[in-house]
Amino acid sequence: MDLGMMFENMSGLASVYSFDIFPDGSFGELRILAVNKNNARVLASIPDTPDFYPGVLWRAYYSEINHERFCYKCGSENLPLYSYVNAHGFWIKGFYLPFTIPEDEKTADNSGKKTAYLMYVMERSDKVDEDSMSKRSAESSAAVINISIKLHKTQDFVKAMSETVEEIRKVCGSELCSLYTVDKTTQSCSLISEFGEQRELLGIMAKDMGRTPYEVALAWEQDLAGSDCLLLDDLSIIKERDPQWYDSLCKFNIHSIVLYSVRFNRSVVGFIWAANFDRSKMLHIKETLELTSFLIGAVVSNHQLMSKLEIKSSTDELTQVNNRNSMNERIDALLSGKERLPETMGVAFTDLNGLKTVNDTSGHSAGDKLLSRAASLLKLAFGDHEIYRAGGDEFVVFCPGITKKDFDRQTAQLRALADASDDVSFAVGTVWLSGDYDINRAMQTADARMYEDKEEFYRSHPEKDRRSV
């Protein structure tokens, strides 16, 4: 097997890097030793950069601090790493693989320094990959669930964001944390901490940098230099890129910073900002915020849209999913031919078990909270698919264009999320369709299967059956 030829023809963008590790533990410059054909074309297309040669400085082409630090961690700790980020207009998967070279190929050096080597393989796409988004450690997955529940538990936008910010601050182990929203169409911004909206502090922050709040947002976007985040345990990069912000941070005794862009459809709609964070949690912070920033971006964008438009609402106010009217309009459009039937369709009917018991024993306020938590789990399981509250305790999910394997996986994920919850239990009925199908008959089938599942639940838990009470 010709390993060199295999590397040369890899489908992604592949590179081999090296860097020196000095006796004091510091690192030398990251160097590029080899690239495959695809990557060579990319490097050649970057303006004002040198022609590639083995050993060229990586910074001759790029300035992505987070990638550089991942390389240092991978090579110095002999630790394979994986990342999935939104940067430079693409969703990027990164695989970091350390390796060593034989002793007889090493260059003699009496200075005590060592050289680390790694391979980096990158795949990029215009569209988000839900499977890649879901590949997280158990700790980060638990944090994402907690943040998503906070994010969707109330229809009060500021309250939901305040509770979300509190959860993010705990993840970061930071002294301060806030969400800085940006509406580019109105050039307006808001600052939300765990204590609510901070209009006065927003003005103070901007004035201290000699900027308007919107100019602060534009400056931060430039500071990111095309990346999705800055996760810095010192302020040297900020001092170099944005001296005005650096001076302001120093004035408030801030010595480490997280700045994570919040995007929707590639456009920045805000920033997660955390100061003086726990440096031992850097990988956990990045892994958690990669996904939660995606979820927050959808909520912020939706809030901005709803704030601007006075239209007939298609959203259920309590759960923030589509309402029954929206579902009926969707079905009518499919039946009338106004909208083309997708080639495949997954239909799920879900019914929240035990809602009447909660309403009767703890009141409707507790029941509303249970409905909101149930909707949060549906959003986690079914991502960007169409979720409707059909009425009462019943939800319907349409998954157009989905494969049966993915539909079964996401249905199983919903059951697993409910099983892991203290109070949410679903009865679920599903059907997957392809070819020439009848959407009404499919819904009837899914509904019947859901009621079979519900009957089984109440047979197992007769104490919760209050349907006839």
Side-chain angles (χ1 to χ4, degrees):
M1 178 183 294
D2 189 336
L3 295 180
M5 184 63 68
M6 183 178 71
F7 171 79
E8 184 72 13
N9 291 297
M10 291 182 75
S11 61
L13 305 182
S15 308
V16 174
Y17 297 145
S18 74
F19 61 90
D20 293 328
I21 306 174
F22 297 105
D24 64 359
S26 62
F27 303 134
E29 289 271 17
L30 190 65
R31 295 181 179 275
I32 309 175
L33 301 184
V35 294
N36 69 345
K37 289 190 294 187
N38 290 340
N39 206 0
R41 285 193 289 268
V42 171
L43 295 184
S45 70
I46 301 175
D48 302 320
T49 56
D51 292 337
F52 171 76
Y53 60 89
V56 66
L57 292 179
W58 174 82
R59 286 199 176 188
Y61 301 94
Y62 302 110
S63 59
E64 172 52 69
I65 302 302
N66 302 307
H67 171 74
E68 192 174 39
R69 294 191 175 192
F70 259 55
C71 290
Y72 286 148
K73 186 173 184 65
C74 170
S76 64
E77 300 181 21
N78 198 35
L79 180 67
L81 295 173
Y82 167 79
S83 68
Y84 187 63
V85 300
N86 185 291
H88 306 286
F90 295 96
W91 287 97
I92 299 174
K93 298 178 189 178
F95 303 88
Y96 301 76
L97 306 170
F99 66 90
T100 57
I101 63 174
E103 289 292 330
D104 58 1
E105 293 185 21
K106 294 181 179 179
T107 304
D109 191 329
N110 297 322
S111 66
K113 72 179 181 182
K114 300 178 181 179
T115 302
Y117 299 88
L118 68 144
M119 178 186 292
Y120 173 68
V121 181
M122 177 182 75
E123 295 181 356
R124 60 185 185 179
S125 172
D126 293 335
K127 297 180 179 180
V128 65
D129 181 338
E130 291 180 3
D131 286 340
S132 296
M133 291 290 283
S134 66
K135 293 175 182 176
R136 298 291 181 266
S137 67
E139 182 184 17
S140 296
S141 296
V144 169
I145 289 176
N146 287 336
I147 290 170
S148 181
I149 288 172
K150 297 291 185 182
L151 189 62
H152 298 293
K153 70 181 292 188
T154 175
Q155 62 267 34
D156 184 325
F157 175 76
V158 173
K159 184 178 180 182
M161 288 302 169
S162 295
E163 295 185 6
T164 299
V165 166
E166 182 181 14
E167 288 298 315
I168 293 174
R169 181 184 59 76
K170 292 175 184 178
V171 168
C172 296
S174 59
E175 294 178 9
L176 302 169
C177 186
S178 64
L179 172 69
Y180 197 103
T181 71
V182 184
D183 189 330
K184 291 190 174 182
T185 60
T186 61
Q187 298 191 3
S188 59
C189 303
S190 70
L191 181 69
I192 301 174
S193 75
E194 60 191 276
F195 306 108
E197 188 170 3
Q198 304 294 319
R199 296 179 182 177
E200 184 177 352
L201 182 57
L202 175 67
I204 292 172
M205 283 178 57
K207 184 177 181 180
D208 195 64
M209 287 184 262
R211 296 164 174 161
T212 66
Y214 184 65
E215 287 171 343
V216 170
L218 295 180
W220 283 351
E221 194 167 0
Q222 288 185 335
D223 294 339
L224 289 173
S227 176
D228 60 333
C229 74
L230 289 174
L231 188 59
L232 305 174
D233 53 9
D234 66 64
L235 301 182
S236 57
I237 297 296
I238 301 298
K239 185 176 182 180
E240 175 186 333
R241 295 184 181 180
D242 193 342
Q244 290 168 279
W245 187 26
Y246 172 79
D247 291 341
S248 178
L249 292 173
C250 291
K251 185 181 296 186
F252 289 98
N253 197 32
I254 292 171
H255 47 75
S256 64
I257 194 77
V258 176
L259 183 69
Y260 215 109
S261 62
V262 177
R263 299 175 186 270
F264 184 77
N265 288 340
R266 297 192 182 181
S267 179
V268 172
V269 296
F271 300 90
I272 297 167
W273 184 96
N276 297 343
F277 63 90
D278 184 344
R279 302 178 187 187
S280 69
K281 301 171 70 175
M282 289 181 73
L283 286 180
H284 173 51
I285 292 169
K286 191 172 191 303
E287 191 175 53
T288 302
L289 293 186
E290 280 173 2
L291 182 52
T292 52
S293 64
F294 177 72
L295 300 174
I296 292 170
V299 174
V300 171
S301 179
N302 182 66
H303 172 73
Q304 292 175 347
L305 178 63
M306 298 301 290
S307 297
K308 295 172 200 169
L309 303 177
E310 294 182 3
I311 58 174
K312 184 175 72 172
S313 176
S314 62
T315 303
D316 179 68
E317 185 176 359
L318 175 63
T319 60
Q320 294 300 295
V321 300
N322 298 310
N323 62 17
R324 186 179 184 87
N325 180 64
S326 178
M327 182 183 73
N328 289 338
E329 289 181 350
R330 174 71 158 135
I331 295 169
D332 289 343
L334 292 173
L335 291 175
S336 66
K338 183 178 179 180
E339 293 179 12
R340 185 177 179 181
L341 272 177
E343 292 185 3
T344 64
M345 173 76 85
V347 178
F349 268 54
T350 69
D351 196 281
L352 182 57
N353 292 321
L355 178 62
K356 190 174 189 305
T357 301
V358 173
N359 284 334
D360 290 347
T361 59
S362 302
H364 285 274
S365 177
D368 287 348
K369 290 180 180 178
L370 183 60
L371 280 165
S372 294
R373 285 174 62 81
S376 294
L377 297 190
L378 281 163
K379 292 170 188 175
L380 273 178
F382 287 99
D384 291 334
H385 294 299
E386 303 166 25
I387 304 171
Y388 303 88
R389 185 183 177 195
D393 52 3
E394 191 169 288
F395 296 85
V396 176
V397 182
F398 290 164
C399 300
I402 196 169
T403 64
K404 187 176 189 306
K405 180 180 178 182
D406 285 344
F407 183 57
D408 290 344
R409 175 181 58 79
Q410 290 180 252
T411 302
Q413 184 180 8
L414 176 65
R415 293 184 185 276
L417 288 169
D419 289 344
S421 168
D422 293 329
D423 54 357
V424 176
S425 172
F426 287 110
V428 182
T430 64
V431 62
W432 181 83
L433 310 153
S434 64
D436 186 17
Y437 56 88
D438 185 329
I439 190 68
N440 269 338
R441 184 174 297 176
M443 293 178 67
Q444 292 168 4
T445 301
D447 190 35
R449 291 174 180 174
M450 181 268 290
Y451 275 106
E452 291 174 4
D453 195 30
K454 195 172 191 72
E455 289 299 328
E456 179 60 31
F457 172 82
Y458 283 123
R459 279 195 292 270
S460 302
H461 304 278
E463 76 283 358
K464 295 185 179 182
D465 190 356
R466 298 178 64 87
R467 293 172 292 177
S468 60
V469 176

